[in-house]
Amino acid sequence: GAVVSQHPSWVICKSGTSVKIECRSLDFQATTMFWYRQFPKQSLMLMATSNEGSKATYEQGVEKDKFLINHASLTLSTLTVTSAHPEDSSFYICSATKKETSSGANVLTFGAGSRLTVL
Amino acid sequence: AQSVTQLDSQVPVFEEAPVELRCNYSSSVSVYLFWYVQYPNQGLQLLLKYLSGSTLVKGINGFEAEFNKSQTSFHLRKPSVHISDTAEYFCAVSDRMDTGRRALTFGSGTRLQVQP
């Protein structure tokens, strides 16, 4: 099956520092990965689409200079929250697309999420 | 553009009772449909998906869902719930013509609370 690993699962940092979150597809190659943000008791909000070998595509309202995304290889995408502030505290979830060979459909597999707390 | 509506934000139910979580979608094109479950402080786990074929789809943990094209619905059901089914459930849709570069569109989620 498709497995997506996300690290770290929990991170606490001081205001003004930067935090990097990694998303890896362990047993398949993902040309496209997605980064979501989830506030408590709310649905997932798409932040950006990470494309291997090219720049990420950000959703409206998401600051690309604050949330740096790098898709260095077909199995790794990273999200760096730069100069983090308490309002950046949230649950960040990545996902990767794998094409099903039987149906041809693209099915998303999600990482376990990363809880960021900025003090 | 697509949208997903989950009509119930919370569904309380007693253990061993049946449950139905409702999902309706809107799309101008043919879609794939998904149900995901999220346990506290965890990512999303795929419960089941409708891609083609039989409109009744069976998933993990005893859940099933039925695709109704005329009503644009994809309701999730389980005949007998357990305490461990307490979680947040998300319905999602994707474009059939999706090349993989487009994310899913999620509903707002339904909190299933199973009480003893």
Side-chain angles (χ1 to χ4, degrees), chain A residues 10 31-32 34 36 38 42-44 46 49 51 91 93 97 100 103-113 115, chain B residues 32 34 36 38 41-46 49 51-52 88 90 94 98-104 106-109:
Chain A
W10 294 85
T31 55
T32 304
F34 303 96
Y36 293 86
Q38 186 180 33
Q42 293 189 28
S43 189
L44 281 71
L46 179 66
T49 302
N51 305 301
F91 194 54
I93 306 175
T97 299
E100 281 202 344
S103 66
N106 292 299
V107 181
L108 278 182
T109 300
F110 287 82
R115 172 77 59 193
Chain B
Y32 297 123
F34 307 84
Y36 286 86
Q38 184 180 34
N41 294 312
Q42 294 187 30
L44 274 66
Q45 179 182 7
L46 181 65
K49 58 185 183 287
L51 304 179
S52 65
E88 192 81 20
F90 292 96
S94 75
D98 178 17
T99 61
R101 292 185 173 272
R102 205 174 309 158
L104 293 177
F106 284 92
S108 55

Side-chain angles (χ1 to χ4, degrees), chain B:
Chain B
Q2 297 128 14
S3 66
V4 179
T5 302
Q6 290 182 245
L7 296 167
D8 306 301
S9 59
Q10 293 189 56
V11 173
V13 64
F14 287 109
E15 194 173 19
E16 297 184 4
V19 70
E20 178 179 83
L21 305 184
R22 296 181 293 172
C23 172
N24 287 88
Y25 70 93
S26 173
S27 177
S28 57
V29 299
S30 296
V31 296
Y32 297 123
L33 294 156
F34 307 84
W35 274 99
Y36 286 86
V37 60
Q38 184 180 34
Y39 298 101
N41 294 312
Q42 294 187 30
L44 274 66
Q45 179 182 7
L46 181 65
L47 268 181
L48 49 78
K49 58 185 183 287
Y50 171 75
L51 304 179
S52 65
S54 173
T55 56
L56 182 62
V57 181
K58 293 188 183 298
I60 61 172
N61 302 341
F63 284 93
E64 64 180 32
E66 185 156 19
F67 169 55
N68 188 317
K69 187 175 181 179
S70 62
Q71 297 185 5
T72 60
S73 67
F74 191 54
H75 301 332
L76 180 70
R77 293 189 288 262
K78 186 169 183 177
S80 176
V81 295
H82 302 286
I83 296 287
S84 58
D85 292 323
T86 295
E88 192 81 20
Y89 292 80
F90 292 96
C91 181
V93 63
S94 75
D95 186 344
R96 276 183 175 267
M97 298 304 294
D98 178 17
T99 61
R101 292 185 173 272
R102 205 174 309 158
L104 293 177
T105 300
F106 284 92
S108 55
T110 297
R111 174 78 178 164
L112 176 62
Q113 297 170 303
V114 182
Q115 302 163 347

